[in-house]
Amino acid sequence: LSDPSQQRQVKIQAMSHIVKSQKYDPITANFFGIVAENGRLSKTNKILNAFNKLMKAHKGEINFTVTTATALDAASQKELKAALAGFVKKGETLTLELKVDPEILGGMLVDMEDKFIDMSTVSKITKYEQVITEAI
């Protein structure tokens, strides 16, 4: 399906076979047929990600992605979730995705929908380096 050398008609038939074999809802099957007909199958992941984001917003789910230098233990995760709950409105649900990136050295990066908070050690070091080089 992602091979650009394949003719569009072949991709349409392949997508039709996939949706039938997976017993997709007719509306979903029609949607993927149109995506295939318009030559947009390469955009499927972006389409699905956008749809998932819309559905989460509709359900009142607020997704937080927190990146730390080392994995958080259960107590730290509980404390973090309690702190982040202050950003969630009544009727919304907090979902937490934890990532580990040793390159941030310490602290954390918090990504909440349209907000980003950088409390990493590496960003602080970078700021200090800039201040020092500007002063010289």
Side-chain angles (χ1 to χ4, degrees), residues 42-102:
S42 62
K43 307 284 187 201
T44 302
N45 282 339
K46 288 183 179 180
I47 292 168
L48 293 175
N49 288 338
F51 177 76
N52 285 334
K53 190 173 183 178
L54 289 171
M55 285 305 297
K56 283 183 177 188
H58 177 71
K59 292 177 182 178
E61 293 179 11
I62 304 298
N63 188 44
F64 287 85
T65 303
V66 177
T67 306
T68 55
T70 58
L72 296 176
D73 60 12
S76 297
Q77 287 181 27
K78 186 176 180 181
E79 188 178 330
L80 175 63
K81 216 170 190 178
L84 294 175
F87 291 98
V88 178
K89 297 174 187 168
K90 187 176 181 178
E92 294 178 333
T93 306
L94 181 147
T95 57
L96 183 60
E97 179 184 353
L98 298 172
K99 294 183 178 180
V100 175
D101 182 3

Side-chain angles (χ1 to χ4, degrees), residues 77-126:
Q77 287 181 27
K78 186 176 180 181
E79 188 178 330
L80 175 63
K81 216 170 190 178
L84 294 175
F87 291 98
V88 178
K89 297 174 187 168
K90 187 176 181 178
E92 294 178 333
T93 306
L94 181 147
T95 57
L96 183 60
E97 179 184 353
L98 298 172
K99 294 183 178 180
V100 175
D101 182 3
E103 291 185 14
I104 69 169
L105 301 178
M108 65 179 63
L109 305 172
V110 181
D111 191 6
M112 178 191 103
E113 306 294 322
D114 60 341
K115 295 181 179 119
F116 181 77
I117 303 167
D118 186 350
M119 299 178 287
S120 67
T121 302
V122 73
S123 70
K124 291 178 184 177
I125 291 171
T126 303

